[in-house]
Amino acid sequence: MKVLNGKISGGYEFKQFKGQPSTELVVLKLPEHLFVPLGRVDLGVKPLVRTGDNVKAGQIIWQDDMSISSPVHSPADGIVESVQKMDSPAGQMSVIKIASRS
């Protein structure tokens, strides 16, 4: 690849690829339980769902209107099994455990 006058000429040449892409479509199953991290415990924000609530894929389950943050959405349909605190490398964080419906 050459750079002339600030322009890239020739592009990138991919070499040494082995095999061919497969035409087979693999459908993966959802895990039985999903753990959705909500952030650090010291943020003081409570989730919008409670234990036993039914959630739909894409439903907002946590949102903090007081700070610059993105809402957290449910990754799948299911039932909230628990809202708990777990240890992480960054300290304790809140986690929602969802039993998925596959």
Side-chain angles (χ1 to χ4, degrees):
M1 180 167 51
K2 299 175 186 173
V3 178
L4 300 172
N5 298 328
K7 295 182 180 180
I8 298 173
S9 64
Y12 186 81
E13 185 178 334
F14 293 94
K15 298 178 182 178
Q16 300 178 355
F17 278 115
K18 294 181 180 179
Q20 294 294 318
S22 174
T23 58
E24 179 184 350
L25 180 62
V26 178
V27 179
L28 301 176
K29 293 183 180 181
L30 282 174
E32 192 174 318
H33 292 97
L34 304 164
F35 293 87
V36 184
L38 301 180
R40 294 191 329 261
V41 171
D42 62 353
L43 291 177
V45 180
K46 304 228 186 264
L48 302 176
V49 294
R50 295 179 185 196
T51 300
D53 286 354
N54 287 311
V55 292
K56 298 281 187 188
Q59 176 182 339
I60 296 175
I61 57 177
W62 181 85
Q63 186 169 6
D64 181 11
D65 293 330
M66 302 306 291
S67 70
I68 300 173
S69 64
S70 298
V72 175
H73 301 264
S74 174
D77 293 349
I79 298 173
V80 176
E81 282 196 352
S82 66
V83 179
Q84 59 195 35
K85 295 175 182 160
M86 295 181 93
D87 290 325
S88 76
Q92 279 206 329
M93 62 184 345
S94 296
V95 175
I96 293 180
K97 180 180 178 183
I98 299 174
S100 65
R101 288 190 207 130
S102 44

